Amino acid sequence: MTENHQENVPSRQRRRFTGISSRAYEHPADRSALVALRKLTGFDTVFKALSGLLPERSLRLLFLSDSVRVSDAQFSHLNDMLRDACYILDLEKVPPMYVTQDPKPNAMCIGLDEPIIVVTTGLVELLDEEEMRAVVGHEVGHALSGHAVYRTILLFLTSLAVKIAWIPLGNVAILAIVTALREWFRKSELSADRAGLLAGQDLQASMRGLMKIAGGNHLHEMNVDAFLAQADEYEKGGDLRDSVLKILNVLPRTHPFTTVRAAEVKKWSESRDYQRIMDGHYPRRTEDKDTSVTDSFRESAGHYAESVRTSKDPLMKLVGDIAGGAGDLAGDLGGKLRSRFGGGSGGSGADAEGKDGDAGKGEAGRTEG
């Protein structure tokens, strides 16, 4: 980092995470969704084709010609935040950042060869300095995780799907990939929210920013606890019909609902993983090459299993009950079959089968109780 960057570090001291790997903050669902996306039939073919066809140079020229590039001379306060976020998350090359005229609050990190960050005037006008710092850190987190490539492809495919909607079968394959990309996109937002918290190191600012995105610049009319209570009420969801409606509502979206994001980032801020990072114990990029894909997939699978087990959503509870019931039923049937067909194999064998049968009954008894 330059000497000028050091001068722009704000007075409030923030911890720096030298050499931090994106694995430190990536949500397990983000990694598993990306694994599933890469296994989708036809994705590799589409990805390779689009990587060479997407007009990235045109995209860069568009922002250069019709937006304002952040620098020491333009939007200098955003430039300070950007360089500070890159310093804290140790992203060596500061990506170009643009402010574009759009009243809708939004930000994105896109690009194939190198990421660029774009924020709208609506967002800049809505958020205060600390809230904006979390957003900038969020986008830097996308850059560090390498999300920009897939996000750019999603934007292109979404536009393409609209243009070829009249083709009977050609649109089906595109829509399948778009749907899978959106699923990953939503999960990647949870990872980037965590990066935003690491960059800003101000949980209240992260929460305020999400509240403003949901309800506008009326903080005096909003309450963090009440906002989080909405997330809890949403998760519980009423009945199975509500669960299905929630799935249908979220499918066309690229971002999770704001109350859900707020609840997720608060939960992570209270976790042991977050505290370990703040204490300086986190995976480094130098260790990434030694990371096991199998271990990452196992961690993601464990996260989903835990999510189903602890979820308050009626559909997820039903899935958990069915899965648990199936396990109990299999154990009960196994015990009965062993008791019925294992008796003719001799004295010691009969004793062993008897113990297994009792154990199976005991397990069934505990489940019913």
Side-chain angles (χ1 to χ4, degrees):
M1 293 292 172
T2 65
E3 182 180 347
N4 188 37
H5 171 82
Q6 297 290 349
E7 294 172 356
N8 286 332
V9 174
S11 57
R12 186 170 78 80
Q13 189 66 36
R14 291 177 173 84
R15 190 179 301 274
R16 187 190 186 201
F17 308 105
T18 307
I20 190 171
S21 167
S22 60
R23 291 181 291 116
Y25 60 80
E26 283 172 346
H27 195 284
D30 174 6
R31 291 196 293 271
S32 60
L34 195 54
V35 168
L37 174 65
R38 288 167 175 162
K39 289 184 177 180
L40 185 67
T41 302
F43 178 75
D44 283 343
T45 303
V46 172
F47 179 77
K48 290 175 183 176
L50 289 179
S51 294
L53 293 175
L54 284 178
E56 181 171 12
R57 292 180 66 86
S58 174
L59 193 66
R60 291 177 180 276
L61 287 171
L62 178 64
F63 285 114
L64 186 64
S65 63
D66 205 32
S67 299
V68 177
R69 183 165 59 189
V70 172
S71 66
D72 285 333
Q74 301 186 113
F75 290 100
S76 59
H77 71 294
L78 294 181
N79 193 47
D80 292 347
M81 293 180 197
L82 174 63
R83 295 166 71 176
D84 191 41
C86 290
Y87 176 79
I88 290 172
L89 296 177
D90 201 13
L91 183 65
E92 293 183 7
K93 188 170 184 179
V94 179
M97 183 175 178
Y98 294 89
V99 176
T100 190
Q101 172 63 32
D102 187 342
K104 184 176 181 180
N106 197 13
M108 57 183 173
C109 179
I110 55 176
L112 295 177
D113 296 329
E114 293 181 354
I116 62 174
I117 295 173
V118 181
V119 297
T120 65
T121 52
L123 189 70
V124 174
E125 292 162 5
L126 177 66
L127 304 182
D128 68 24
E129 180 177 344
E130 292 302 307
E131 295 157 6
M132 194 68 197
R133 190 179 298 280
V135 170
V136 172
H138 173 112
E139 299 306 327
V140 169
H142 279 312
L144 185 59
S145 289
H147 289 162
V149 174
Y150 296 102
R151 296 165 75 86
T152 305
I153 288 177
L154 174 59
L155 291 173
F156 179 80
L157 286 178
T158 302
S159 174
L160 180 64
V162 173
K163 293 177 181 178
I164 66 171
W166 58 273
I167 301 177
L169 293 178
N171 195 33
V172 174
I174 297 296
L175 284 178
I177 294 175
V178 167
T179 300
L181 271 167
R182 280 180 178 153
E183 170 63 15
W184 163 76
F185 199 112
R186 290 189 292 269
K187 299 302 186 289
S188 74
E189 287 299 303
L190 301 179
S191 296
D193 283 342
R194 294 177 173 187
L197 178 59
L198 290 176
Q201 297 173 29
D202 185 341
L203 176 61
Q204 292 304 312
S206 292
M207 303 294 284
R208 290 198 311 269
L210 289 168
M211 288 172 64
K212 283 185 176 180
I213 290 172
N217 195 13
H218 304 282
L219 276 179
H220 62 288
E221 299 284 355
M222 294 185 275
N223 177 276
V224 172
D225 292 334
F227 191 65
L228 291 173
Q230 289 181 226
D232 188 59
E233 182 179 342
Y234 171 79
E235 186 184 358
K236 291 176 181 176
D239 56 22
L240 291 177
R241 290 173 298 177
D242 293 319
S243 297
V244 173
L245 288 173
K246 285 190 288 186
I247 294 172
L248 295 176
N249 284 341
V250 81
L251 279 178
R253 294 176 60 93
T254 55
H255 287 61
F257 294 115
T258 48
T259 58
V260 174
R261 290 173 63 185
E264 282 282 342
V265 75
K266 185 174 188 299
K267 179 180 178 182
W268 189 65
S269 73
E270 297 168 347
S271 70
R272 183 171 176 268
D273 289 341
Y274 175 75
Q275 190 56 56
R276 283 180 57 81
I277 294 173
M278 296 304 295
D279 290 340
H281 306 294
Y282 50 83
R284 263 69 173 178
R285 292 196 286 273
T286 54
E287 305 163 355
D288 284 351
K289 63 182 183 300
D290 301 321
T291 303
S292 167
V293 176
T294 303
D295 289 344
S296 296
F297 189 76
R298 187 181 297 114
E299 181 184 352
S300 299
H303 164 77
Y304 271 116
E306 178 66 13
S307 297
V308 171
R309 188 183 68 81
T310 59
S311 177
K312 301 172 186 176
D313 180 83
L315 182 57
M316 289 298 100
K317 288 173 70 176
L318 177 62
V319 170
D321 291 344
I322 291 173
D328 294 338
L329 179 61
D332 192 35
L333 286 175
K336 290 180 179 178
L337 288 172
R338 285 192 298 270
S339 297
R340 181 170 181 179
F341 296 108
S345 51
S348 60
D351 290 341
E353 296 297 345
K355 292 174 184 176
D356 287 346
D358 291 341
K361 292 175 184 176
E363 194 67 38
R366 283 195 294 275
T367 301
E368 291 170 1

